[in-house]
Structure formats: structure tokens, C-alpha cells
Amino acid sequence: MTATITLRDYQQAAHQAVIDAYHQGDRRTLISLPTGAGKTIVFGRLIRKAVGNNHRALVLAHTEELVDQAVRTLRTLLPGVSVGIVRARHDEADAQVIVATVQTLRRISRLERIGRFGLIVIDECHHAVAQTYMDILTHLGAFDSDARYPLVLGVTATADRGDGKGLDGVFESIAYEVGIFDLIQRGYLSNIRAKRILLDVNLDRVQTRGGDFVDSALGAAMVDAGAPEHIAAAIQDHAVDRRCIVFTPTVAMAEQTAAAVNAIGIPARSVSGETPKDERQQIIEDVRSGDLQVITNCMVLTEGFDAPILDCAVMARPTSSRALYQQSAGRVLRPYIGKTDALILDMVGMTTRHTVQAAASLIDALPEHGEIEEGETASEAVARVQSESQVPTPATGKLVAIDVDVFHRSDLNWVVPGNGTFMLTGANNAFAIRVGASDDTCDVFRLEKNGYDYRAIRVAQDVDLSMAQGLAEDGARRTGLDATTLRQQAWRQDPPTDGQLRKLWVMGVRGRGVLAAIKTKGEASDLIATKMAERAIRDHDAANVTERMGVAA
């Protein structure tokens, strides 16, 4: 099985829109996809097409985290293609696909060594108007009017910049955009709940620069207003059972907020640009694994940070910038198993002069001054506003809060036993996803029927959860679906058979009332498949350990 993944409908539309824009003469175009929408998968498919046409590709990013994410994903998506890193001591300049930091390529010696490309991808391209980017693009021929290549593709969650500087100095067109609410409706992003918490701070007195608040002045004003203690209280009152990320204007306020949260008995840590890389990575891993409930930061985790398990964003950095707000709040919108919504806590102050962004600005279907009221989701807010304004609802009917658990939304039968493994059932070929300590380290196994058991074959490693699901479902569809693979099957509601119950007994499913609690044939089938999968994966791991130790299996 190769690491081919079926694009979602909007990903396919974005992919085609870029190709169409190029054929229409736009060599520099961008696509805008919300955080969590899978932009790397889209540009990975375009890179695969470029490499297939004997072109090299370059991915430009501005942080080490973005480089590492892109490399990990591209190596999974592009088996057989060399993907190299050009960053600091890494100098894999001869690779077919290079992922490089802008800071490294600003050195002309490094820039000259990487050669030329048919495709250049700029990750988080709202930074691309900076002179460093412009110099790199100019050197690589992006602005040569008489050339066919390179095609320059920008990808971003926010096609606008906080400083109001337009991107048209780099890009000729926006090939494709899709909004957050659209993807919430389709179940690809988590629904949003919101609450505004008013702080006793007059934002009209806070110094501004470039249309937004000066961080140092804002931080001082918020600390004077007791913001760290108010944030801790808000988490205790509204998000005590959630995993939270807190955005603050200064490092000092991030540290004080973490201390205030710890003081009420909720484990919290702060991250800053001065935090050593190993320590920062461990903090992030502790949040992902659930050992840490709250992480606070100042402008460190707004981009290139993915932890789908987070389900609350505390926006304690009031801002007029829609781009900054969306980049920050977007960190909690990725779906995760068991996650029903994302809570946004807006910590705001009083102002008559400034337009301060709030959760409603994430939802393009709401009017300019619309609000997500307390207790309702974004979907319910849109339905209410439409009802109040007597706007006819779409042909699909009334908008309601929807199940955003992507595994249960699928038409295939995913079983979630709650032990870090997701199981896609199948009579002859099934698939399983095992989630590691980090949501970026999922393994995907194909479970091949071997007599009365499964044999586990690992087909992907170190991929994120959404990609793992896509790989498994794509593999299942190619190997053939059957009555046990599809979720909506009448037989699943029949009583369990004696044969199923005997098999479960042999597998160790016993105890007073355990078998009696299994009411349907579908429940019994799922439990049998899960037990077989767990045993097959254990056997796979044991065999690999034996091989690594140099002992004949």
C-alpha cells in the first residue's frame, strides 16, 4: 500500500484551482484554508505532480516547527521521492523536494547551492511580503516575466495581514478560499462555543502601533487589572475539564498566568521563545498526552503547532487583527476523538475606539456585529441569526449543531475502544490506527486475515490523526468494502449469535454480566475485531523488537 490519500472535496477543489490559475497565466497564486484543513496534503499533491513532470520543488517556511511538520508529512505522501532539509547544519540541497527556512536562504551562499525549481510553496504566506522572502523569490526567478516556471503557491489560514499590507505585491490571485464555518458544517472542524469575560481594563488608554495594541503596554495594563488571576478563575469556572491553550501579550504575563493556574490546582506551564527547544517540545508533548492541562504562551504557538486534543483557547491578548486572532484560535479547531466542540474564552477590556476581535469573527456566516451567545455553538448562532432576520434556510434544512467526531461521521465502521487505538473493521482486510504519546505520531496498520486471526502490517508511521484516517479509509476502499466495513447495515442491530459469544469467551471477554451486556450482532462483531487487532499489533511489535535485537524470530 502506498501513502496515497483521497483528497476531501474542498482539497480537490483547491488543488484544481491552482492548476487552473496557472493555465490562465497566474504564476503566483495562493489558497486560503483554515487551520486544520490539511493544507500540507493539498500542496503535497501539487508537489507530487511537479516531481512527476521532472520538476524540483521548494517549500519555504519561517520556523523550525513548520519545517519539521512539512518534512514529516511530505515523506509520508511522497514515497520514493527524496525530501531534504536546508536549515542550519542540514544541507540536503540536492533533494528533489527541499524544505527550507527563510532565515537560512537569506544567505546567498546557501541560496545559490539549492538550484532552480518548477514549484515553490510558501507556507504561512501572509509573511511573504517581507523583504527576505522577496529577495529569495527574485533570485529564484519568480518575478521573471518571460518564464514559465517556477509556479509560486502561497498557503495560509488568513490571507490578510495584521499591518494592513496587501499580499498583491507577491501574488497575482487567490485561487481558492474556504471558510471555517463551511468546514464546521461538513464536520471537518470542531464546532465553536464562546464566552466573553470582561476585564476591568480600558483599552482606549493602551498604546497602539500599526493598528493594533503594543504588546508591552497591553501586557502591563492587563496584569495591573489582575488578568492572570481572572484567567485562572475563568478556566476553573468554564473549562475545568478541558485542555487549554492561553495566548498572552507578553512572556511575563504568560508566566504569571501559568503560576495563577497552578495555584488553583490545575497543572500549567508557559512556553516562550527563550524556552530551550527540548524543554518546549516536552511541554507540548505533555499537553498532547494529557499530563498537562494548560499551556500559556506569547506569540510562540500561533503558527505551526498542532495538538488536536486541545479544546479550549483562552484569548487573553486582545487584538484588532483578524489574522492574528484566527491563527491563534485555530489551534483548537481540529477534530479529535470524543471532542464535541471548541471553547473560545475571550478576555476583553472596555473600548469605544477599537474593534477588538472575538469568536464571532471566525464565522463568516455571521453578520459583521453578530455574536455567538453563551451556551450556543457557532452553528446554532448562525441558525438563530438567520431565523431572526427571516433569511430562508438552505435547501438542506435548518442548521443545527452537528457531530464533528470525524470517525463517527464516516460512512465506514470505525470502532473506538478508548485505548488509543481506532479500528476500521473488515471481514478480510481491516485497518487500525494507534495513537502515540503525540497526535503527530500515529501508526497505521493493515490487518490481513490470517486463518481465524489478523496479521498486522504497518503501512504508515509518524502521521497525524486526520491523515491516518484518510490513509486507512483509502486503503479499505481500494481493497474492497464489505458488509462489516460499512457502518449503516441492518444486520448490526440483530441479536448476537451464539458463535460470536463463544468466540468472545475464548478471547477472554468474561465476567458477570459482561457478555449479557452485548445486545447486538454489531457490538459483538466490533469487539471481536478489536481483540483480534490488539493481538495482531502486539505480535507485530514483538516481532520487530526481536529483529532489532538481532535474534531470529
Side-chain angles (χ1 to χ4, degrees):
M1 174 181 169
T2 63
T4 301
I5 187 168
T6 302
L7 298 185
R8 297 169 177 172
D9 51 358
Y10 66 89
Q11 292 171 337
Q12 181 59 49
H15 173 269
Q16 188 60 48
V18 174
I19 295 172
D20 292 344
Y22 174 72
H23 288 315
Q24 292 166 9
D26 293 343
R27 280 180 48 220
R28 303 186 307 277
T29 191
L30 68 84
I31 57 175
S32 179
L33 300 176
T35 299
K39 57 184 173 57
T40 309
I41 292 174
V42 176
F43 70 68
R45 183 63 60 89
L46 288 161
I47 289 174
R48 188 174 74 177
K49 187 178 182 69
V51 171
N53 290 326
N54 297 316
H55 290 295
R56 297 173 70 226
L58 169 68
V59 179
L60 276 176
H62 69 289
T63 69
E64 292 186 5
E65 288 83 2
L66 287 172
V67 168
D68 292 340
Q69 283 183 15
V71 168
R72 189 163 54 242
T73 302
L74 291 175
R75 284 176 176 167
T76 298
L77 290 173
L78 306 171
V81 175
S82 59
V83 179
I85 299 174
V86 174
R87 179 190 72 201
R89 68 181 183 276
H90 298 281
D91 194 26
E92 299 161 340
D94 295 329
Q96 293 168 283
V97 180
I98 292 175
V99 186
T101 59
V102 176
Q103 294 86 344
T104 296
L105 293 189
R106 69 186 301 174
R107 302 176 187 173
I108 190 65
S109 60
R110 303 293 293 270
L111 185 56
E112 288 178 343
R113 282 208 300 274
I114 64 175
R116 293 284 169 153
F117 302 90
L119 172 64
I120 299 173
V121 177
I122 305 175
D123 201 359
E124 305 294 357
C125 70
H126 47 282
H127 298 289
V129 296
Q131 191 60 49
T132 304
Y133 283 86
M134 298 292 283
D135 291 344
I136 294 170
L137 293 174
T138 299
H139 179 89
L140 296 175
F143 300 105
D144 294 350
S145 59
D146 57 348
R148 291 188 60 199
Y149 300 104
L151 165 63
V152 178
L153 171 65
V155 292
T156 182
T158 51
D160 54 345
R161 289 169 53 92
D163 58 10
K165 193 171 183 179
L167 296 176
D168 52 0
V170 179
F171 300 102
E172 300 168 286
S173 63
I174 299 177
Y176 185 81
E177 291 182 277
V178 66
I180 289 174
F181 185 66
D182 190 4
L183 297 189
I184 289 175
Q185 284 184 290
R186 302 190 209 181
Y188 293 123
L189 293 180
S190 297
N191 221 326
I192 297 171
R193 294 186 187 275
K195 183 173 182 62
R196 303 193 82 179
I197 299 172
L198 186 64
L199 298 175
D200 186 16
V201 55
N202 187 348
L203 295 178
D204 290 343
R205 297 178 182 175
V206 176
Q207 182 184 357
T208 61
R209 183 185 302 124
D212 204 2
F213 302 108
V214 174
D215 288 336
S216 58
L218 179 61
M222 294 192 70
V223 169
D224 287 345
E229 292 75 19
H230 286 300
I231 292 167
I235 291 173
Q236 188 171 48
D237 290 344
H238 306 290
V240 71
D241 57 346
R242 293 178 181 258
R243 291 184 173 91
C244 309
I245 182 168
V246 182
F247 296 94
T248 67
T250 64
V251 172
M253 181 174 161
E255 293 171 347
Q256 292 175 51
T257 301
V261 175
N262 278 309
I264 62 172
I266 297 175
R269 292 285 301 275
S270 67
V271 170
S272 74
E274 301 302 316
T275 306
K277 185 177 180 181
D278 291 346
E279 181 182 345
R280 176 167 46 171
Q281 189 60 38
Q282 186 58 54
I283 292 172
I284 292 171
E285 293 302 325
D286 288 345
V287 173
R288 286 172 170 151
S289 66
D291 292 337
L292 194 62
Q293 188 173 342
V294 177
I295 183 170
T296 68
N297 82 107
C298 168
M299 296 300 290
V300 174
L301 305 179
T302 56
E303 298 172 339
F305 168 63
D306 295 324
I309 198 170
L310 292 171
D311 59 353
C312 176
V314 182
M315 308 300 288
R317 196 278 181 213
T319 178
S320 299
S321 168
R322 177 174 171 268
L324 176 58
Y325 189 94
Q326 290 200 356
Q327 288 284 352
S328 302
R331 299 302 114 193
V332 299
L333 297 187
R334 289 180 183 271
Y336 190 79
I337 197 66
K339 178 176 175 179
T340 57
D341 56 45
L343 175 64
I344 310 292
L345 295 180
D346 283 318
M347 313 294 294
V348 297
M350 298 166 289
T351 178
T352 58
R353 294 185 349 203
H354 304 289
T355 300
V356 180
Q357 299 294 321
S361 67
L362 300 171
I363 308 302
D364 46 13
L366 284 174
E368 182 178 355
H369 299 293
E371 294 286 351
I372 302 174
E373 295 182 352
E374 184 175 351
E376 69 181 357
T377 64
S379 297
E380 291 164 341
V382 172
R384 171 180 51 77
V385 170
Q386 288 180 333
S387 174
E388 290 170 354
S389 59
Q390 297 184 336
V391 175
T393 55
T396 52
K398 182 180 179 181
L399 294 173
V400 295
I402 57 177
D403 179 7
V404 296
D405 180 337
V406 292
F407 287 90
H408 290 159
R409 187 186 56 78
S410 172
D411 62 329
L412 304 187
N413 188 52
W414 282 98
V415 183
V416 186
N419 59 359
T421 301
F422 308 138
M423 171 79 187
L424 175 57
T425 60
N428 297 311
N429 282 297
F431 289 83
I433 297 171
R434 180 175 61 191
V435 182
S438 162
D439 297 316
D440 288 330
T441 57
C442 294
D443 293 342
V444 182
F445 295 89
R446 180 164 63 85
L447 303 169
E448 187 178 77
K449 199 67 178 291
N450 183 27
Y452 292 102
D453 285 312
Y454 285 131
R455 180 169 70 95
I457 304 168
R458 187 163 59 188
V459 294
Q461 187 175 7
D462 294 342
V463 299
D464 66 28
L465 189 58
S466 60
M467 181 179 292
Q469 182 192 10
L471 291 170
E473 293 201 356
D474 189 56
R477 295 181 195 280
R478 290 205 312 275
T479 54
L481 305 181
D482 56 51
T484 60
T485 315
L486 297 168
R487 181 159 55 92
Q488 298 295 344
Q489 296 286 301
W491 65 268
R492 296 186 60 82
Q493 303 306 315
D494 293 340
T497 66
D498 291 340
Q500 286 179 314
L501 298 178
R502 281 196 300 271
K503 184 161 188 174
L504 286 169
W505 177 271
V506 170
M507 287 179 158
V509 180
R510 304 172 186 173
R512 181 180 300 175
V514 175
L515 289 178
I518 300 173
K519 301 300 184 183
T520 68
K521 187 182 290 186
E523 291 176 18
S525 176
D526 291 346
L527 188 53
I528 290 170
T530 300
K531 293 294 182 183
M532 290 168 57
E534 290 173 348
R535 184 162 56 196
I537 293 173
R538 282 198 302 270
D539 291 345
H540 170 277
D541 290 344
N544 278 354
V545 169
T546 302
E547 290 170 7
R548 286 197 298 272
M549 293 175 61
V551 180

